[in-house]
Amino acid sequence: MNFLPENPTTAEFIQASLQALGAECPQSYQHICSLLTGRDLRIEMEGEEPIGLRFQAQQITLLPVNELTAGSRLCLRSSWQTVLDLVDARLSLLVAVYTGRLDLIGESGELILLYDAILMYLRGGVRTFAFPLLLDELRNAKEQKPLAAL
Amino acid sequence: MNLIPRVIALTDNLRLAEESSQHPEQYKEWYHFCILGRDVEVVFNLSVMRDNRPAAAPGSRLARLILLVHNGSWDGDVVEIPWREIELNPGRIDLRFGHNHLRFADGVYQVSIALETRPITLDLTIRPTTHPLMRSRAPIGFGAIDWLVVPRLEADGVLVCGRQVHRLKSAAAYHDHNWGHWLWGQDFAWEWGFALPNLAGTPWSLVFDRVTNRARSQVQELKLSLWKHDRLVRIFAHQEITTLPQGYLSQAHVPKFPRIMALIAPELTTDVPRSLEIAATSGPDHLNICFESKDLAQLILPNETDLGETIINEVVGMIHANGMLKGEAVGFEGKGFFEFLT
């Protein structure tokens, strides 16, 4: 059984992972909510439609970017290849930010909260059964194959 | 007659003693080996534990395989093996983790490991050459740990790491087996290490263990054990031992396993000492050890008590040892692994 369709969109991956987090590690899900309550986040993954996330006290909701709060300035911009390089430690977070492969945009205080929330998402993720499977499916769909393998 | 294989078969058997405590859900057990080759070091570990992830079914278990290779840089992985692929034989030393196995037969440990996630395979026979030392119910966290240590063995076989083939012949090796009840994240830390001489003819082997609270301000267990040839000849304990960490090991890159944990614990600084001096004195007997840290990798485990992590620093280094034991001079230079848990 697959969690994701064959070529998942960013929205489908984020939706599935948040659902898994809420079901399998609610403590982490709740912590993310409490860190970012009242904020919107715009996520831009290379080559895909941007998506929005709204954080409320008990819930994280996906929404179209045109519904994001006008004042919201939190934005995460990257590519799936960068995410996989980070997951497999081919790239460090620091280098990803320095080299512009991962942009976190917002005011400094907001960025600290966003970083803490990303850490909490990962800390919850490593405690779930679903995340490794989701990552495998994502890897199969998104990882750039070396030329020799094509 | 060589008694060591019989002693090993009788003492190093798989316990799976989950019910020996009021907290079977905290049970953990593992077989741990280190190999010191001429130009490569290997750490491997087969562990089983109760699965305490939030969504795990009550009573379910988790099996992990760790294989780390150090030959200038570190490679390896920490792999979770599905429980349906695990075959355990309590009372024996015979474990199958998927296509990987560890067993003890004909006086040797037989090990076969092939990672699916990295191009690394290991096929060894490991012959114990010293008698084991056992310790029961040592305090750890809010629970207790039992352990058995075989400080010196000889490994023969082949390690393939990427395009490099290492043929190991009578390589020095170390083994311990631990089982008990505690949770990762409880209030404990340990420093645990062994040293084996560079020259195979040198008879000495030593093991050091120090278990403390997390802040390392209260010592719960402290021992320095010395073997001559196959026999344990001396244990220094507690007040007989002083330790002096010096400086901090600094590395531009700190490999972390499993790799995804580098995102959660990305720090490049560690609290691993650049050197650790251990002085043991009891009457006329004394032993001075200096462990010089050379390189480290981190094993990072999700805590079971909270959403934090426990970091086990696997540090390879050089040892200088000298002293006097029952009127006999003890002295050697060697290599070893120390673990610093933070």
Side-chain angles (χ1 to χ4, degrees), chain B residues 56-302:
Chain B
S60 59
R61 292 162 170 167
L62 171 66
R64 279 201 195 107
L65 171 69
I66 299 169
L67 176 59
L68 300 182
V69 176
H70 177 249
N71 57 348
S73 59
W74 294 88
D75 201 346
D77 212 345
V78 179
V79 183
E80 191 182 319
I81 312 283
W83 193 258
R84 63 181 178 277
E85 296 177 22
I86 301 296
E87 195 178 302
L88 303 173
N89 296 284
R92 293 165 55 193
I93 309 164
D94 187 1
L95 300 87
R96 189 176 67 77
F97 278 40
H99 57 265
N100 312 285
H101 73 251
L102 167 70
R103 64 175 68 102
F104 187 75
D106 303 323
V108 294
Y109 295 93
Q110 300 166 355
V111 184
S112 177
I113 297 174
L115 290 182
E116 291 182 42
T117 52
R118 302 292 304 157
I120 305 175
T121 62
L122 179 70
D123 280 286
L124 295 179
T125 58
I126 308 174
R127 186 171 66 87
T129 59
T130 46
H131 284 278
L133 170 65
M134 284 181 75
R135 169 80 164 95
S136 293
R137 311 296 297 164
I140 186 170
F142 299 124
I145 183 171
D146 292 31
W147 52 258
L148 172 146
V149 61
V150 185
R152 194 162 178 174
L153 310 87
E154 285 182 359
D156 291 274
V158 179
L159 164 73
V160 180
C161 186
R163 295 182 179 192
Q164 291 187 303
V165 178
H166 300 272
R167 295 184 194 286
L168 299 167
K169 194 165 172 52
S170 300
Y174 161 89
H175 163 52
D176 63 51
H177 175 185
N178 298 260
W179 63 98
H181 299 79
W182 73 92
L183 293 176
W184 295 116
Q186 285 178 342
D187 185 19
F188 70 91
W190 71 56
E191 292 155 9
W192 184 295
F194 71 91
L196 298 172
N198 290 330
L199 301 174
T202 306
W204 308 105
S205 315
L206 63 87
V207 172
F208 172 76
D209 73 281
R210 182 171 183 261
V211 177
T212 64
N213 62 344
R214 196 80 167 196
R216 296 185 182 142
S217 57
Q218 293 174 345
V219 177
Q220 293 165 337
E221 176 89 354
L222 179 59
K223 279 192 174 64
L224 178 65
S225 307
L226 184 73
W227 281 254
K228 183 179 182 187
H229 297 295
D230 63 338
R231 299 286 165 147
L232 176 69
V233 290
R234 190 70 163 93
I235 297 179
F236 296 95
H238 292 277
Q239 285 83 359
E240 296 171 340
I241 300 172
T242 57
T243 61
L244 181 62
Q246 299 271 23
Y248 294 102
L249 179 62
S250 170
Q251 292 191 184
H253 176 58
V254 178
K256 296 164 192 272
F257 301 93
R259 286 173 174 78
I260 194 168
M261 299 305 277
L263 283 173
I264 296 173
E267 297 80 13
L268 297 178
T269 51
T270 71
D271 61 355
V272 170
R274 197 177 59 245
S275 68
L276 178 64
E277 293 173 14
I278 303 163
T281 305
S282 177
D285 293 344
H286 62 94
L287 193 57
N288 295 302
I289 313 291
C290 181
F291 175 75
E292 286 179 32
S293 303
K294 292 296 179 192
D295 204 355
L296 72 82
Q298 292 185 331
L299 294 167
I300 305 181
L301 309 168

Side-chain angles (χ1 to χ4, degrees), chain A residues 24 87-88 120 123 127 129, chain B residues 54 259 303 306-309:
Chain A
E24 289 197 47
V87 164
D88 294 336
M120 193 46 61
R123 287 192 161 118
R127 288 168 169 83
F129 293 92
Chain B
R259 286 173 174 78
N303 284 348
D306 55 34
L307 290 172
E309 301 80 38

